[in-house]
């Protein structure tokens, strides 16, 4: 789900029970309760899908043979256009860039790419070994959080060899990382267990301080 900047609308992927299909991307109007279908089957949006001016929505579509594409929906024109190959797009809070994840077959040698709001100027943001998560921008667009596989030397054998440890306490191969974009310095915050949710959001300090 993804809230519009003014909190008046919600972008959500829904299930059509009449046709038994999932991934219809709708925009829900909070005040009226009305819904507008903006794309068909297998369309999904991240938590940072709206442009800061509330005029566009960026999202991904899963196509045949594992192909993913990034599309931008223009609310005024009620029309979408394809802008890149990849998935899990997210709009930076400053409105300058859209980040998305591109992974070749077998999910290795992945990279986060960025494009401008008009779909031009695709550039490499940074490489990762493997991953399948959106990139979460900090409120000032200076940092990003993301999930990627742990490298070989980052693994811990504790818990994997102890059969009495509850299964939800066993570590997966995923790690939550934070990266500062101006110098690409990075640290990690959390190893994800089998029971952990892979969804995170940045909280502005003004909200956290209340």
């Amino acid at each position: 789900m993804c809230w519009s900047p003014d909190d008046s609308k919600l972008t959500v992927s829904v299930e059509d029970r009449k046709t038994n299909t999932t991934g219809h991307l709708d925009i829900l109007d909070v005040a009226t309760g009305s819904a507008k279908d903006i794309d068909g089957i297998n369309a999904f949006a991240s938590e940072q899908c709206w442009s800061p001016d509330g005029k566009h929505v960026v999202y991904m579509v899963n196509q045949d043979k594992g192909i993913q594409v990034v599309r931008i929906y223009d609310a005024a024109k009620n029309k979408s256009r394809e802008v890149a190959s990849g998935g899990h797009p997210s709009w930076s809070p400053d409105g300058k860039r859209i980040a998305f994840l591109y992974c070749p077959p077998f999910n290795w040698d992945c990279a986060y790419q960025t494009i401008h709001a008009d779909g031009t100027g695709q550039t490499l943001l940074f490489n990762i070994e493997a991953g399948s998560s959106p990139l979460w921008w900090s409120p000032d667009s200076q940092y990003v959080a993301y999930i990627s596989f742990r490298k070989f030397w980052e693994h811990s054998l504790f818990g994997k060899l102890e059969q009495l440890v509850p299964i939800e306490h066993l570590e997966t191969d995923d790690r939550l990382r934070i990266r500062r974009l101006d110098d690409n310095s990075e640290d990690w915050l959390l190893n994800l267990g089998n029971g952990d949710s892979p969804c995170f959001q940045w909280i502005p300090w003004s909200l956290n301080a209340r």
Side-chain angles (χ1 to χ4, degrees), residues 27-81:
I27 294 180
L28 308 181
D29 188 291
V30 176
T32 65
S34 62
K36 176 184 291 185
D37 190 357
I38 65 174
D39 213 316
I41 301 173
N42 294 326
F44 304 92
S46 70
E47 293 89 344
Q48 293 176 311
C49 70
W50 284 87
S51 61
D53 60 9
K55 296 180 179 180
H56 299 85
V57 174
V58 66
Y59 63 97
M60 62 177 280
V61 176
N62 290 322
Q63 298 182 331
D64 294 337
K65 299 180 180 179
I67 297 174
Q68 296 178 327
V69 296
V70 177
R71 292 179 182 172
I72 295 178
Y73 171 76
D74 187 318
K77 297 179 180 179
N78 191 27
K79 185 177 180 180
S80 295
R81 58 190 175 89

Side-chain angles (χ1 to χ4, degrees), residues 81-96:
R81 58 190 175 89
E82 192 172 308
V83 294
S85 296
H88 304 290
S90 58
W91 216 304
S92 64
D94 63 11
K96 296 179 179 179

Side-chain angles (χ1 to χ4, degrees), residues 65-67 102-110 129-130:
K65 299 180 180 179
I67 297 174
Y102 176 75
C103 287
F106 307 110
N107 206 35
W108 293 101
D109 297 324
C110 303
E129 286 194 2

Side-chain angles (χ1 to χ4, degrees), residues 181-201:
L181 295 177
D182 63 354
D183 61 2
N184 284 322
S185 59
E186 185 173 282
D187 205 346
W188 65 276
L189 295 181
L190 180 68
N191 288 329
L192 300 182
N194 287 327
D196 293 328
S197 170
C199 299
F200 299 90
Q201 292 188 45

